[in-house]
Amino acid sequence: MKNSILSTQPLSTDLAALLLRLIVGGLFIYHGYGKLANYETMLQMFTDIIGIGVKPTVILVIFAEFFCGIFVVLGLFTRLSIIPIFITMIVAFFIAHAKDPFQTKELAFAYLLLSVVIFVLGSGRFSLDAAFRKK
């Protein structure tokens, strides 16, 4: 019973890594683009929660969500690219939304956990990382 639907073995770990990267990275691109497109509004909405100023905070969040999201989708420097996303979600969950009810911050928590899974899993065979390693 090799790789059947009833088997306990994964059908394809590489395909799972690709799907996870596309879904999570795509969602971060979506959220990051919204912040990038509405940069001035974001400056007014954000607060200086980590002590580096509002403008650097917004820039770092946009970098993590939009640009690192692109790298995750492409599978380029995947483990390195997921670290800023992971840090952003830690700050969102534990600092920015610390006093909020769990329902308000559960999306940040889910993204935090998914970023850990991507870090552990890596980019897989269907990625630019793998393509560059072959050469």
Side-chain angles (χ1 to χ4, degrees):
M1 209 201 278
K2 183 181 175 195
N3 284 342
S4 76
I5 199 162
L6 298 176
S7 172
T8 59
Q9 299 299 315
L11 295 175
S12 173
T13 307
D14 293 314
L15 181 59
L18 172 65
L19 291 173
L20 185 62
R21 281 191 358 258
L22 291 176
I23 293 166
V24 173
L27 287 168
F28 273 106
I29 292 169
Y30 171 77
H31 289 293
Y33 180 76
K35 289 176 178 71
L36 181 61
N38 299 301
Y39 177 73
E40 294 299 324
T41 306
M42 291 296 116
L43 286 176
Q44 296 168 2
M45 289 176 56
F46 273 64
T47 59
D48 184 17
I49 57 175
I50 57 173
I52 63 170
V54 174
K55 193 172 184 178
T57 300
V58 173
I59 291 170
L60 286 173
V61 169
I62 290 170
F63 170 76
E65 291 183 0
F66 185 70
F67 294 102
C68 290
I70 291 171
F71 285 143
V72 168
V73 165
L74 296 173
L76 183 62
F77 309 116
T78 304
R79 286 193 173 112
L80 188 60
S81 299
I82 204 72
I83 292 170
I85 293 172
F86 175 74
I87 293 169
T88 301
M89 293 302 101
I90 285 175
V91 171
F93 185 78
F94 290 106
I95 299 172
H97 297 288
K99 296 179 182 174
D100 294 341
F102 186 75
Q103 289 100 348
T104 304
K105 57 186 179 180
E106 70 180 313
L107 186 59
F109 185 68
Y111 284 149
L112 172 64
L113 296 178
L114 288 170
S115 66
V116 171
V117 173
I118 290 173
F119 184 84
V120 170
L121 189 57
S123 57
R125 186 175 58 179
F126 306 117
S127 66
L128 289 179
D129 288 339
F132 290 143
R133 260 186 256 125
K134 288 180 183 177
K135 292 182 178 182

